[in-house]
């Protein structure tokens, strides 16, 4: 499959391998969420750095993503071929693949990259934080009842 | 020939000036040196710093400690400053009334109004209902879109979507109908279910129109005139956003309340005055000027202000081994500021700009234990050590070595902790004053106004110019010029605002544009340094009128700043005062004034 040479888009070069489709899906989702078009090209090369560099040099936007069998890279056309901008030297997680999509798009958009997601993101507040929050609220309530000259505007209860 | 060393112990640096003297004349100035002051100024902990500074200067001049005939120390001004910040407003969202975190990529476009329903409830709904769907974590965007589309087919009137993950565009792109989608709502489980809510997303590059307008909210929720008044804080909090959610709950509210910060009592020689910290910096400074000179300042017991004022007293009392009751606060500088603070009860980590008052306070005591330092130094080094004179006099002496200056002359010494001014008249009378607020306060203002929570970073922003990284190969400097690099820049700085610190790039981890950071930096400097320059010069002016001062020389660390000198020069030009950065001995810049003055004062003793 040949990419449309005239369309400005990020080129994703994919070495077909088991699990490659899952990675591709997340990378594509990341770019779509950021609103940058892409084209996918299948390739026989398996090294992500080489794949991504080929993508970058053929892309009108100068940005390529290489999905190798064992690694994942983002490349920019003006960089040396052996030095991709971002590189993931392991299988990684769906969240990490998604971030590669975001950051390839952000390179095109010219906005700061997203920080790498932590391995096990948790939204639970830990016990210490919780203690601090409760402590602060109790303090505040006590202070309010002690002073009570702060002005309070309330959106009516009759709503 | 005698080799004399002048040693100036400052709040942040210790400076040395070396000179050879013969028959009551300076024959040669040797190299000078600057090192960081060890310990708090005026304590025995200063000695290691003094020794390092002396050795550095001596080595550079090819001499050793044995060549020294005399070390002259300044009678350090016994002044210590401290800072505090009081937030005087706070914003609290109750019952999760709104979501206004402004995610970078919301999906869809338009305004939707309906009952909030959870994603799992969607399948049990009957047709015709107007709903807003709330999608929790770990739901894949394709599954989400499929189920939402099925609901639309069943005739459910889906009006908008609120999502936990960063999936808004992905979901919106897969829906049959264009509706607004707001994502990255971290506390999605707290969104009230079964309530009337409105979701709005604007076109790219535009801001929301309905939910940032009190009448818009009133129209959506059919509010009475009285209720419309109450939604003003909500509308105000959402101004400038590209997306927003407002939920109508029984007691839902966004409160903007004033925190009781306590009042301070200023005792001056012209009477005493109480002033509430809430009333702002302008009123506080007016009060200070009305009763000045200030004899003492006290805070209302049990408040933060009082805690801070007590801390300054405590430190000073321990330092000088004098009674706590004798510690009097001699000046305060108040500055209005604002602090971005996380909104209490926010669902997506919203921030609101809260008003705050920053205070610098200064304590002056009779005398620092300089005698102890002199004795210790004498026995350590075996060199004669003399305490030579009052700091202000020495600074003026040094400043007068600046080419193009003459008496009468005023100096403005802008350091880290305090702003000092002194004036020498034609008949050699010296008058000096110390005021609270200087470089450290600027750092505090930058730190809080940009919400950095990092003093070292704020200090760097104060000291160095900014640049914006525009591509992997070039940056644009503050003045618009472009600099290219042969090697590509690290990805961490890509598209960020950076500080250019000694050839290094330090990225600023915030979304503030360069212009905003520059504005905050310059305003902080103006509000502290320009204010204090005018305040202090008016007080030392012989007639009390600042216009009667002709020459002002800027000395001290902050005068070396890349823009403060120009700002003060510019502001004082209004009063037709010649003002500029000093150039001590025609070679040292604004540094080394006191140390030079100390060496020169050796000549008086000879005479």
């Amino acid at each position: 499959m040949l990419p449309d040479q005239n369309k400005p888009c990020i080129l994703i070069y994919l070495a077909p391998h088991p699990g490659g489709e899952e990675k591709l899906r997340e990378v594509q989702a990341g770019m779509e969420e950021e609103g940058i078009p892409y084209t996918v090209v299948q390739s026989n090369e398996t090294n992500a750095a080489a794949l991504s560099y080929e993508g970058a040099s053929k892309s009108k936007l100068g940005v390529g993503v290489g999905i190798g069998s064992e690694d994942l890279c983002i490349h920019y056309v003006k960089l040396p071929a052996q030095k991709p901008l971002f590189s993931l030297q392991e299988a990684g997680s769906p969240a990490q693949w998604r971030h590669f999509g975001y950051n390839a798009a952000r390179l095109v958009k010219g906005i700061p990259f997203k920080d790498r997601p932590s391995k096990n993101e948790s939204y639970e507040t830990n016990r210490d934080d919780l203690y601090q929050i409760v402590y602060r609220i109790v303090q505040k309530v006590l202070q309010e009842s002690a002073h009570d000259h702060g002005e309070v505007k309330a959106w009516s209860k009759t709503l | 020939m005698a080799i004399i060393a002048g040693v100036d112990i400052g709040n942040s640096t210790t400076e040395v000036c070396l000179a050879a003297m013969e028959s009551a004349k300076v024959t040669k100035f040797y190299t000078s040196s600057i090192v960081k002051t060890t310990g708090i100024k005026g304590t025995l902990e200063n000695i290691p710093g003094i020794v390092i500074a002396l050795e550095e200067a001596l080595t550079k001049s090819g001499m050793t400690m044995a060549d020294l005939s005399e070390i002259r120390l300044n009678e350090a001004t016994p002044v210590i400053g401290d800072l505090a910040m009081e937030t005087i407003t706070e914003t609290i969202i109750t019952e999760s009334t709104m979501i206004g975190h402004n995610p970078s990529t919301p999906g869809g476009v338009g305004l939707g109004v309906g009952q909030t329903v959870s994603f799992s409830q969607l399948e049990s709904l009957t047709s015709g209902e107007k709903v807003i769907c709330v999608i929790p974590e770990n739901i894949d965007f394709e599954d989400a879109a499929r189920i939402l589309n099925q609901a639309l087919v069943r005739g459910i009137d889906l009006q908008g979507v609120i999502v936990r993950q960063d999936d808004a565009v992905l979901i919106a792109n897969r829906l049959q109908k264009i509706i607004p989608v707001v994502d990255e709502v971290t506390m999605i489980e707290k969104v009230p279910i079964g309530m009337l809510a409105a979701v709005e997303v604007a076109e790219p590059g535009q801001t929301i129109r309905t939910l940032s307008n009190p009448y818009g909210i009133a129209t959506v929720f059919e509010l009475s005139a009285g209720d419309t008044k109450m939604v003003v804080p909500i509308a105000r909090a959402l101004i400038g956003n590209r997306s927003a959610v407002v939920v109508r709950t029984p007691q839902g509210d966004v409160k903007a309340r004033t925190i009781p910060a306590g009042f301070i009592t200023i005792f001056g020689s012209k009477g005493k005055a109480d002033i509430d910290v809430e009333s702002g910096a302008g009123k506080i400074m007016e009060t200070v000027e009305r009763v000045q000179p200030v004899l003492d300042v006290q805070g209302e017991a049990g408040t933060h202000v009082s805690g801070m004022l007590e801390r300054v007293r405590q430190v000073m009392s321990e330092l000088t081994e004098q009674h706590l009751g004798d510690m009097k606060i001699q000046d305060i500088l108040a500055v209005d500021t604002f602090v971005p603070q996380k909104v209490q009860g926010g669902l997506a980590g919203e921030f609101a700009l809260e008003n705050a008052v920053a205070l610098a306070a200064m304590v002056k005591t009779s005398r620092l234990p300089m005698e102890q330092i002199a004795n210790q130094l004498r026995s350590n080094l075996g060199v004669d050590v003399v305490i030579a004179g009052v700091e202000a006099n020495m600074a003026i002496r040094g400043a007068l070595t600046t080419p193009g200056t003459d008496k009468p002359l005023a100096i403005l010494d802008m350091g880290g902790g305090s702003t000092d001014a002194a004036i020498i008249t034609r008949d050699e009378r010296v008058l000096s004053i110390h005021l609270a607020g200087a470089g450290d306060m600027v750092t505090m203002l930058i730190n809080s106004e940009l919400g950095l929570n990092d003093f070292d970073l704020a200090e760097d922003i104060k000291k160095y110019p900014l640049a914006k990284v525009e591509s992997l190969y070039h940056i644009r400097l503050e003045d618009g010029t472009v600099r290219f690099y042969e090697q590509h820049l690290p990805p961490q700085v890509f598209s960020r605002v950076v500080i250019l610190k000694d050839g290094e790039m330090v990225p600023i981890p915030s979304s503030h544009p360069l212009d905003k950071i520059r504005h905050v930096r310059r305003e902080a400097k103006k509000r502290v340094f320009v204010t204090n320059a005018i305040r202090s010069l008016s007080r030392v002016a012989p007639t009390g009128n600042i216009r009667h001062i002709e020459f002002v020389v800027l000395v001290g660390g902050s005068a070396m700043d890349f823009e403060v000198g120009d700002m003060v020069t510019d502001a004082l030009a209004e009063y037709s005062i010649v003002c500029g950065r000093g150039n001590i001995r025609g070679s040292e810049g604004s540094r080394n004034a006191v140390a030079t003055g100390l060496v020169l004062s050796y000549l008086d003793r000879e005479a």
Side-chain angles (χ1 to χ4, degrees):
Chain A
M1 185 174 78
L2 274 175
D4 183 351
Q5 296 289 334
N6 294 315
K7 202 174 99 188
C9 60
I10 297 174
L11 291 184
I12 306 173
Y13 269 62
L14 172 71
H17 64 276
E21 288 300 319
E22 283 74 29
K23 290 184 198 169
L24 179 64
R25 178 180 184 270
E26 291 301 325
V27 170
Q28 284 174 315
M31 290 178 194
E32 185 182 338
E33 177 69 24
E34 294 285 331
I36 298 295
Y38 55 82
T39 302
V40 182
V41 182
Q42 309 268 345
S43 170
N44 295 327
E45 172 66 57
T46 53
N47 177 272
L51 284 164
S52 61
Y53 189 68
E54 192 174 352
S57 24
K58 290 195 177 145
S59 158
K60 286 256 174 209
L61 297 175
V63 177
V65 175
I67 304 175
S69 44
E70 266 136 38
D71 49 358
L72 188 58
C73 288
I74 297 177
H75 223 308
Y76 184 51
V77 67
K78 290 171 190 162
L79 296 179
Q82 307 77 22
K83 285 190 177 169
L85 187 63
F86 289 105
S87 156
L88 180 68
Q89 294 298 331
E90 54 178 10
S93 66
Q96 284 173 315
W97 305 331
R98 178 77 74 93
H99 267 71
F100 268 72
Y102 289 145
N103 285 342
R106 283 172 174 234
L107 179 60
V108 175
K109 287 163 90 172
I111 59 172
F113 298 122
K114 278 205 173 194
D115 290 332
R116 248 174 241 170
S118 56
K119 274 266 161 75
N120 27 353
E121 249 175 56
S122 111
Y123 303 104
E124 275 174 50
T125 326
N126 69 38
R127 287 185 67 88
D128 284 353
D129 282 353
L130 204 64
Y131 176 81
Q132 283 300 321
I133 291 167
V134 172
Y135 180 82
R136 267 207 313 274
I137 293 171
V138 171
Q139 285 284 318
K140 187 162 286 161
V141 170
L142 287 176
Q143 232 172 39
E144 264 174 40
S145 56
H147 290 272
D148 206 37
H149 50 274
E151 188 195 356
V152 176
K153 291 185 206 133
W155 187 8
S156 167
K157 293 177 183 179
T158 55
L159 269 176
Chain B
M1 192 182 73
I3 305 288
I4 309 296
V7 179
D8 168 25
I9 310 159
N11 278 314
S12 49
T13 56
T14 300
E15 301 179 12
V16 167
C17 171
L18 270 186
M21 302 274 188
E22 209 159 7
S23 57
K25 252 177 69 186
V26 176
T27 48
K28 186 178 178 196
F29 279 107
Y30 295 101
T31 345
S32 41
S33 66
I34 297 182
V35 301
K36 222 173 142 42
T37 298
T38 48
I40 295 173
K41 166 177 165 176
T43 59
L44 284 179
E45 292 156 43
N46 296 157
I47 289 176
I50 299 173
V51 173
I52 295 168
L54 279 170
E55 277 171 350
E56 199 182 302
L58 286 166
T59 319
K60 276 196 271 179
S61 318
M63 290 188 283
T64 63
M65 212 57 94
D67 296 321
L68 273 184
S69 332
E70 187 174 301
I71 297 171
R72 298 176 73 80
L73 293 182
N74 59 327
E75 173 74 85
T77 330
V79 161
I80 189 169
D82 198 8
L83 299 164
M85 175 106 62
E86 278 299 313
T87 325
I88 53 178
T89 60
E90 72 177 335
T91 307
I92 303 168
I93 303 178
T94 51
E95 290 202 36
S96 313
T97 323
M98 67 158 210
I99 302 172
H101 64 311
N102 216 15
S104 60
T105 51
V109 69
L111 172 72
V113 184
Q115 294 267 329
T116 49
V117 293
S118 69
F119 185 66
S120 51
Q121 285 175 341
L122 204 57
E123 292 187 312
S124 60
L125 287 182
T126 49
S127 65
E129 279 182 84
K130 285 190 163 202
V131 295
I132 300 225
C133 185
V134 181
I135 301 180
E137 211 190 341
N138 292 329
I139 305 279
D140 188 80
F141 61 89
E142 282 189 338
D143 299 336
R146 196 185 63 246
I147 291 169
L148 291 174
N149 276 330
Q150 284 168 4
L152 281 169
V153 169
R154 287 207 314 278
I156 292 167
D157 189 0
L158 187 64
Q159 287 277 318
V161 185
I162 304 169
V163 198
R164 164 66 193 89
Q165 291 167 162
D166 185 7
D167 284 344
V169 176
L170 292 167
I171 292 174
N173 283 353
R174 282 162 182 74
L175 292 183
Q176 297 157 1
K177 186 177 155 195
I178 297 175
I179 52 169
V181 185
V182 171
D183 62 357
E184 293 183 84
V185 177
T186 40
M187 312 274 242
I188 194 103
E189 66 283 354
K190 298 230 176 102
V191 176
I193 298 296
M195 299 290 172
L196 192 60
V199 179
E200 185 177 5
V201 173
E203 296 272 3
Q206 306 223 341
T207 57
I208 51 165
R209 296 276 171 81
T210 308
L211 297 183
S212 61
N213 173 3
Y215 298 125
I217 300 178
T219 314
V220 165
F221 293 132
E222 292 160 1
L223 300 183
S224 68
D227 289 342
T228 306
K229 251 185 172 173
M230 300 301 178
V231 300
V232 173
I234 299 178
R236 194 175 150 233
L238 296 174
I239 292 174
N241 278 12
R242 214 196 120 192
S243 67
V245 178
V246 174
V247 187
R248 186 176 163 179
T249 53
Q251 311 208 2
D253 180 22
V254 175
K255 290 186 207 168
R257 63 190 282 281
T258 314
I259 305 169
F263 59 86
I264 49 179
T265 311
I266 303 165
F267 300 89
S269 53
K270 294 175 196 150
K272 141 189 159 170
D274 284 343
I275 178 87
D276 207 324
V277 175
E278 275 171 43
S279 55
K283 286 270 163 53
I284 297 175
M285 292 320 289
E286 243 171 58
T287 313
V288 170
E289 290 307 315
R290 203 166 61 233
V291 300
Q292 65 98 356
V294 174
L295 303 176
D296 196 14
V297 181
Q298 271 167 4
E300 183 188 359
T303 61
H304 286 267
V305 188
S306 130
M308 167 223 165
L309 296 176
E310 278 315 308
R311 197 171 60 238
V312 187
R313 270 189 251 271
Q314 189 92 40
V315 170
M316 201 61 189
S317 149
E318 279 164 18
L319 192 63
T320 55
E321 293 171 359
Q322 290 175 39
H323 194 259
L324 190 63
D326 296 338
M327 299 296 123
K328 304 290 184 202
I329 290 175
Q330 307 260 293
D331 186 45
I332 52 170
L333 174 65
V335 173
D336 278 325
T337 177
F338 46 86
V339 193
Q341 287 213 315
K342 209 163 189 180
V343 174
Q344 296 272 338
L347 289 176
E350 291 95 337
F351 281 83
L353 277 185
E354 307 293 358
N355 296 316
V357 175
L359 276 180
M362 186 202 71
V363 175
K364 199 172 161 189
T365 63
S366 48
R367 213 188 152 112
L368 285 173
M370 294 304 289
E371 206 60 57
Q372 291 173 28
I373 300 180
N375 289 337
Q376 184 85 41
L377 211 54
R378 197 175 295 128
S379 61
N380 282 12
L381 300 177
V383 182
D384 203 17
V385 182
V386 175
I387 297 172
V390 180
E391 191 168 331
N393 300 20
M394 296 301 117
I396 286 195
R397 264 207 111 109
L400 276 169
T401 63
T402 296
T405 54
D406 198 6
K407 294 172 209 164
L409 173 90
I411 57 159
L412 204 50
D413 182 349
M414 298 179 293
S418 68
T419 303
D420 307 338
I423 193 163
I424 186 165
T425 56
R426 259 186 209 96
D427 49 359
E428 305 272 322
R429 276 185 309 124
V430 175
L431 180 67
S432 67
I433 189 166
H434 308 279
L435 295 182
D440 293 343
M441 192 178 201
V442 174
T443 308
M444 179 173 82
L445 290 174
I446 293 174
N447 186 44
S448 63
E449 292 189 6
L450 294 175
L452 299 172
N453 257 329
D454 182 345
F455 256 87
D456 294 337
L457 183 67
E459 183 79 13
D460 284 345
I461 292 178
K462 179 181 83 178
K463 282 189 190 155
Y464 303 98
L466 302 167
K468 163 95 181 185
V469 180
E470 294 201 325
S471 80
L472 286 173
Y473 286 96
H474 82 276
I475 63 172
R476 191 174 295 273
L477 306 180
E478 262 182 45
D479 63 351
T481 51
V482 171
R483 187 189 292 169
F484 277 90
Y485 291 83
E486 298 205 339
Q487 294 290 317
H488 82 85
L489 302 167
Q492 304 87 275
V493 303
F494 176 70
S495 186
R496 292 203 180 269
V497 178
V498 294
I499 308 160
L500 298 175
K501 179 187 179 184
D502 311 322
E504 216 186 308
M505 279 184 205
V506 182
I508 301 173
S510 77
S511 55
H512 300 299
L514 185 143
D515 288 343
K516 164 83 186 293
I517 300 174
R518 180 167 184 266
H519 181 77
V520 165
R521 181 191 76 207
R522 290 181 61 91
E523 278 306 305
K525 286 176 181 174
K526 270 188 200 153
R527 277 182 288 167
V528 175
F529 287 122
V530 174
T531 309
N532 261 353
I534 292 169
R535 224 157 60 95
S536 58
L537 289 175
S538 318
R539 295 215 194 158
V540 294
T543 53
N545 186 344
I546 188 168
R547 287 176 188 278
H548 293 153
I549 297 176
E550 275 180 69
F551 292 98
V552 175
V553 172
L554 304 176
V555 297
S558 298
M560 307 226 301
D561 183 277
F562 66 100
E563 56 192 359
V564 165
D566 297 345
M567 282 178 184
V568 175
T569 301
D570 195 41
L572 292 181
E574 252 178 63
Y575 302 94
S576 43
I577 296 172
V578 181
C579 167
R581 265 163 291 178
N583 193 7
I584 311 303
R585 289 186 261 129
S587 65
E588 299 292 306
S590 55
R591 283 279 184 194
N592 216 264
V594 175
T596 303
L598 283 166
V599 168
L600 293 174
S601 68
Y602 182 79
L603 300 173
D604 296 349
R605 202 200 61 162
E606 295 280 284

